[in-house]
C-alpha cells in the first residue's frame, strides 16, 4: 500500500529468512536488500554504488556486506560505505516486523535514489587551518570528502597538474573513447557546495616543509597546515631509439586515451608491455585497429602477478579476437619517416609495421618534485608512510600509488600497490589521522581487469608466491586460482567464480590465515 509519498510494502514472512541470510526484493521497480543478522532485520539498497552489482550475490560478514564484483563494503544497518571502490553509500530503509510479517517503510524519494552521499559539513569562517591535497585521483578525492564528513571546517585545497576534476582513471584503458566529463567522479557543483577548492593545471615544483609552503611552476605558492601528497604514478618511459617519434604514446590522461582511440582506427597498432594497461588497451582496440600486436618480456600476459596459467587464458581470449603476441622479447628500435613512426624492430629480429605505438611498460611513483626535501622515500621513489599514512615529516601525509606502506595482511611488510581500491582506502585513513583519530590502514588489496566482456578479479598480495592451486576450468573461462606461499594462501584470482574472491578477502581481513590444505 502507498500513502502519498510514503510506501509500506510487505516483503516476506518473519521465518522466511534464516539468520545470516540476505535476499533481494523488488519494491515498486527498485531493488532492496533485506538482511537478517543476529535475529534483526535491516534493509538497504540492493545494488552496489560502484558499478551496480547485486549485493545479494555478495558476502555477508557481521554487520556489513561485501560486493561480489569489486569488493566494496557497506554497513547493513546504515548503508554507509565502509570499504572501496566507489564513493557513495546506500539508501537505508525502515523495517517493521508485525504479526509474523516483515515490512519495509520508506518514501518514494528515498527509494528512487540508489546512491546516497554521506552528510558533509562546510568551511567555517573562523577556521584558518588549510589542508592542501596534491593530486586529484582516488586517494585525493576520498581524503577531501572524508574530512568534510568527519566535521573538518578549515579550508580544503586540491591541486592537480591536469585540466580536469577528479575522474575514474580505471576507465581510461577500458573505455578509451569516453569524454573526460563522462568519467568525472563528482560534478563541479559538488565541490563548491562542500567548500572543496580544486585548482587545475597547477604543477608543483617543490615543497618547503619547514615553512608549510607549496611552490608551483607558475611561481605561485600555497601555504598549508596539513598536507596530503597523492600524486599517483607516472608511466615508465621508453628508452629505445625512436621513442621520441610522433605517435609513440603512453596512457595517463583522458586526452591520451581519446588520442589513441582516434589514431588507432584502421591502423597498425603495436603495444609495448603485456600487463594490465597493455592488455586492456589491446582488448579495446581489437575491433577498431587494422592490426594489434602486443610485445612482452614474459611468456604470458600478467605473468608476474597472476601467473602463467591465468596469463595464458587472457592471451587466448585476445588471440581469438585477432590480437598478435610477441613474447620473451622487447623493442630494439622504433623506426620512422619524417618524424612519424613506421615500424618496430624487436630484439628477436622481427619487424612489425606500426602507425601507432603505445607504451605500457609499468609505472613509477610520481614524486620527483620531492627530491631534496626532508620527506623520506625508498629507492624506487615511493614515499615512506607509517600505518597512519604519516610521512617522515610532521603534518605531511601521503596516500595511494605514490607510497610504500605497511600492509596489515602481511604482518606490516611494506608494499607499493597501484590499486584504485587501495588508494581510496588510503585517502580515508589519511583524513581520519589528520583529525587525530588514530585509525591504522587495514585493507585487503582488491583489483580487477576487464577483457572483452570477461572480468578477472584478484584479492590479496601474491608477491613471492611459490605455487598455485586451480579450481574450475581454465579452458572454459571459469576458474579460481589460489596463490600459495609457505603453505598459506596469500592471494586469489578468478573468472566467473563469484563471490569467492570477495569471500577470501573477508577471511583475510579478519586476520585468519587460509592454509594450503583448505583449498586442495
Amino acid at each position: 500500500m502507498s500513502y502519498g509519498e510514503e510506501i509500506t510494502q510487505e516483503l516476506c514472512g518473519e521465518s522466511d529468512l534464516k539468520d545470516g541470510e540476505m535476499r533481494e526484493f523488488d519494491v515498486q521497480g527498485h531493488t532492496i536488500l533485506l538482511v537478517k543478522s543476529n535475529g534483526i532485520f535491516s534493509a538497504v539498497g540492493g545494488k552496489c554504488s560502484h558499478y551496480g552489482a547485486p549485493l545479494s550475490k555478495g558476502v555477508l560478514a557481521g554487520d556489513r556486506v561485501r560486493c561480489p564484483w569489486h569488493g566494496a563494503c557497506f554497513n547493513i544497518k546504515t548503508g554507509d560505505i565502509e570499504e572501496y571502490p566507489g564513493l557513495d553509500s546506500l539508501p537505508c530503509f525502515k523495517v517493521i516486523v508485525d504479526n509474523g510479517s516483515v515490512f519495509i517503510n520508506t518514501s518514494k524519494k528515498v527509494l528512487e535514489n540508489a546512491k546516497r552521499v554521506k552528510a558533509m559539513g562546510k568551511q567555517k569562517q573562523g577556521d584558518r587551518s588549510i589542508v592542501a591535497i596534491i593530486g586529484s585521483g582516488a586517494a585525493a578525492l576520498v581524503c577531501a570528502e572524508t574530512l568534510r564528513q568527519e566535521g573538518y571546517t578549515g579550508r580544503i585545497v586540491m591541486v592537480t597538474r591536469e585540466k580536469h576534476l577528479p575522474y575514474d582513471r580505471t576507465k581510461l584503458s577500458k573505455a578509451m573513447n569516453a569524454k573526460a566529463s563522462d568519467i568525472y567522479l563528482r560534478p563541479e557543483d559538488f565541490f563548491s557546495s562542500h567548500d572543496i577548492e580544486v585548482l587545475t593545471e597547477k604543477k608543483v615544483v617543490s615543497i618547503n616543509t619547514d615553512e608549510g609552503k607549496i611552490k608551483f611552476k607558475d611561481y605561485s605558492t600555497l601555504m598549508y597546515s596539513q598536507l596530503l601528497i597523492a600524486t599517483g604514478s607516472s608511466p615508465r618511459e621508453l628508452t629505445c631509439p625512436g621513442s621520441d617519434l610522433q605517435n609513440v604514446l603512453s596512457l595517463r590522461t583522458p586526452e591520451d586515451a581519446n588520442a589513441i582511440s582516434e589514431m588507432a582506427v584502421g591502423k597498425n597498432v603495436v603495444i609495448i608491455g603485456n600487463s594490465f594497461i597493455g592488455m586492456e588497451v589491446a582488448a579495446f582496440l581489437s575491433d577498431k585497429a587494422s592490426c594489434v600486436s602486443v610485445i612482452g618480456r614474459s611468456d604470458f600476459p600478467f605473468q608476474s602477478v597472476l601467473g602463467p596459467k591465468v596469463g595464458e587464458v587472457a592471451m587466448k581470449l585476445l588471440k581469438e579476437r585477432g590480437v598478435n603476441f610477441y613474447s620473451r622479447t622487447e623493442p630494439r628500435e622504433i623506426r620512422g619517416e619524417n618524424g612519424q613512426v613506421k615500424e618496430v624492430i624487436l630484439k628477436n629480429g622481427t619487424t612489425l609495421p606500426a602507425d601507432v605505438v603505445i607504451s605500457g611498460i609499468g609505472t613509477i611513483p610520481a614524486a620527483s618534485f620531492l627530491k631534496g626535501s626532508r620527506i623520506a622515500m625508498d629507492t624506487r621513489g615511493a614515499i615512506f608512510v607509517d600505518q597512519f599514512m604519516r610521512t617522515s615529516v610532521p603534518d605531511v601525509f601521503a596516500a595511494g600509488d605514490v607510497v610504500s606502506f605497511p600492509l596489515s595482511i602481511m604482518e606490516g611488510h611494506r608494499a607499493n600497490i597501484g590499486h584504485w581500491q587501495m588508494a581510496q582506502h588510503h585517502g580515508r585513513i589519511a583524513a581520519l589521522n589528520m583529525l587525530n583519530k588514530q585509525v591504522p590502514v587495514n585493507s585487503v588489496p582488491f583489483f580487477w581487469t576487464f577483457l572483452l566482456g570477461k572480468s578477472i578479479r584478484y584479492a590479496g598480495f601474491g608477491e613471492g608466491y611459490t605455487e598455485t592451486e586451480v579450481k574450475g576450468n581454465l579452458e572454459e573461462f571459469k576458474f579460481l586460482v589460489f596463490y600459495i606461499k609457505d603453505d598459506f594462501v596469500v592471494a586469489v584470482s578468478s573468472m566467473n567464480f563469484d563471490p569467492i574472491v570477495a569471500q577470501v578477502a573477508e577471511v583475510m581481513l579478519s586476520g585468519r590465515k587460509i592454509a594450503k590444505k583448505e583449498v586442495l
Side-chain angles (χ1 to χ4, degrees):
M1 53 187 174
S2 173
Y3 300 102
E5 287 293 308
E6 186 174 302
I7 298 166
T8 301
Q9 179 175 316
E10 183 178 355
L11 300 180
C12 63
E14 188 175 0
S15 60
D16 289 346
L17 247 67
K18 297 176 183 177
D19 205 58
E21 186 180 354
M22 306 182 288
R23 192 177 300 176
E24 193 177 276
F25 291 91
D26 181 277
V27 178
Q28 298 198 359
H30 301 279
T31 304
I32 302 300
L33 183 72
L34 182 68
V35 184
K36 188 177 184 180
S37 179
N38 294 321
I40 298 172
F41 289 93
S42 57
V44 294
K47 293 185 177 180
C48 178
S49 64
H50 181 225
Y51 283 173
L55 293 174
S56 61
K57 306 292 185 184
V59 179
L60 182 64
D63 284 340
R64 73 180 198 171
V65 59
R66 183 182 283 268
C67 171
W69 290 0
H70 306 131
C73 296
F74 304 90
N75 188 293
I76 58 171
K77 293 182 177 178
T78 65
D80 286 352
I81 188 167
E82 294 185 345
E83 181 57 282
Y84 305 95
L87 290 168
D88 296 322
S89 297
L90 305 174
C92 185
F93 308 101
K94 183 179 179 181
V95 176
I96 301 168
V97 180
D98 184 36
N99 203 23
S101 294
V102 180
F103 298 84
I104 184 174
N105 176 257
T106 185
S107 68
K108 189 174 182 181
K109 183 178 179 181
V110 173
L111 198 58
E112 288 176 347
N113 289 318
K115 300 179 181 182
R116 174 177 60 82
V117 178
K118 281 187 183 179
M120 297 172 68
K122 300 188 73 171
Q123 184 180 350
K124 286 185 179 176
Q125 196 167 7
D127 191 335
R128 298 177 64 83
S129 65
I130 301 173
V131 170
I133 300 173
I134 304 175
S136 60
L141 180 58
V142 170
C143 179
E145 292 196 17
T146 303
L147 286 170
R148 287 289 184 243
Q149 290 163 4
E150 294 293 325
Y152 176 68
T153 57
R155 187 181 172 200
I156 299 176
V157 186
M158 186 186 301
V159 295
T160 174
R161 64 186 299 175
E162 296 196 39
K163 59 178 70 173
H164 301 290
L165 294 172
Y167 59 85
D168 188 344
R169 198 177 296 279
T170 68
K171 292 184 178 178
L172 292 185
S173 54
K174 299 176 178 71
M176 302 183 71
N177 54 354
K179 291 181 182 178
S181 57
D182 290 341
I183 60 173
Y184 282 1
L185 293 166
R186 297 294 194 196
E188 189 170 356
D189 61 0
F190 175 90
F191 297 95
S192 56
S193 63
H194 298 296
D195 289 334
I196 299 170
E197 300 171 50
V198 183
L199 307 182
T200 57
E201 299 183 86
K202 298 284 282 185
K203 183 178 180 180
V204 176
V205 293
S206 66
I207 298 172
N208 186 324
T209 55
D210 293 329
E211 296 180 11
K213 182 191 291 186
I214 303 168
K215 184 179 178 182
F216 300 99
K217 189 177 181 180
D218 62 6
Y219 302 107
S220 64
T221 60
L222 175 67
M223 304 299 294
Y224 65 83
S225 309
Q226 290 181 299
L227 171 66
L228 176 73
I229 302 168
T231 43
S233 57
S234 299
R236 193 181 295 277
E237 294 183 359
L238 283 174
T239 56
C240 65
S243 300
D244 57 347
L245 289 168
Q246 282 188 355
N247 288 10
V248 178
L249 309 166
S250 58
L251 179 58
R252 179 72 174 86
T253 68
E255 287 74 25
D256 296 335
N258 292 170
I260 291 168
S261 178
E262 292 170 12
M263 289 180 189
V265 176
K267 302 293 185 180
N268 293 313
V269 176
V270 174
I271 298 169
I272 302 170
N274 63 357
S275 196
F276 296 95
I277 295 295
M279 289 293 285
E280 289 182 355
V281 170
F284 182 83
L285 297 179
S286 62
D287 62 348
K288 300 169 183 66
S290 172
C291 175
V292 177
S293 300
V294 177
I295 304 166
R297 289 180 176 178
S298 57
D299 290 304
F300 299 104
F302 309 136
Q303 187 165 327
S304 63
V305 177
L306 300 180
K309 293 175 182 178
V310 177
E312 189 173 11
V313 169
M315 180 184 278
K316 176 185 175 185
L317 198 61
L318 267 66
K319 275 186 172 181
E320 289 176 356
R321 187 62 74 86
V323 175
N324 302 308
F325 286 87
Y326 298 86
S327 302
R328 301 179 70 179
T329 189
E330 57 188 308
R332 187 178 70 206
E333 182 185 358
I334 301 173
R335 292 179 181 169
E337 290 179 11
N338 301 318
Q340 180 81 33
V341 64
K342 287 296 180 185
E343 59 188 16
V344 178
I345 314 299
L346 304 184
K347 286 190 174 179
N348 66 8
T350 303
T351 298
L352 302 176
D355 302 302
V356 180
V357 174
I358 303 158
S359 173
I361 57 172
T363 61
I364 56 174
S368 59
F369 63 94
L370 295 176
K371 287 179 181 175
S373 76
R374 295 195 296 116
I375 297 170
M377 296 185 285
D378 68 12
T379 54
R380 287 187 66 249
I383 301 168
F384 278 116
V385 293
D386 65 9
Q387 62 181 333
F388 304 111
M389 311 313 295
R390 299 176 302 199
T391 70
S392 57
V393 177
D395 294 320
V396 178
F397 298 74
D401 298 10
V402 77
V403 305
S404 169
F405 73 102
L407 186 61
S408 57
I409 64 166
M410 298 298 291
E411 287 88 38
H413 169 84
R414 286 199 162 273
N416 172 240
I417 295 177
H419 300 170
W420 189 252
Q421 162 265 340
M422 188 59 76
Q424 290 189 300
H425 180 77
H426 283 180
R428 177 175 180 271
I429 297 302
L432 293 175
N433 290 306
M434 285 177 168
L435 302 174
N436 297 312
K437 303 280 188 180
Q438 293 294 298
V439 179
V441 61
N442 184 27
S443 180
V444 176
F446 200 117
F447 73 85
W448 71 98
T449 188
F450 188 78
L451 303 171
L452 304 175
K454 302 248 188 295
S455 279
I456 298 174
R457 318 201 195 288
Y458 179 100
F461 186 70
E463 185 178 282
Y465 76 89
T466 53
E467 58 182 307
T468 58
E469 180 67 28
V470 179
K471 305 292 183 183
N473 193 312
L474 292 159
E475 295 284 322
E476 295 176 1
F477 303 115
K478 185 181 169 100
F479 61 82
L480 181 67
V481 179
F482 293 99
Y483 301 85
I484 298 164
K485 180 180 179 182
D486 298 330
D487 290 327
F488 288 98
V489 174
V490 291
V492 61
S493 69
S494 78
M495 181 182 285
N496 292 317
F497 233 99
D498 292 338
I500 302 298
V501 172
Q503 287 177 339
V504 171
E506 273 302 317
V507 173
M508 287 181 168
L509 188 66
S510 75
R512 185 175 82 79
K513 288 192 172 185
I514 303 171
K516 172 183 173 180
K517 62 185 179 183
E518 295 181 67
V519 300
L520 294 179

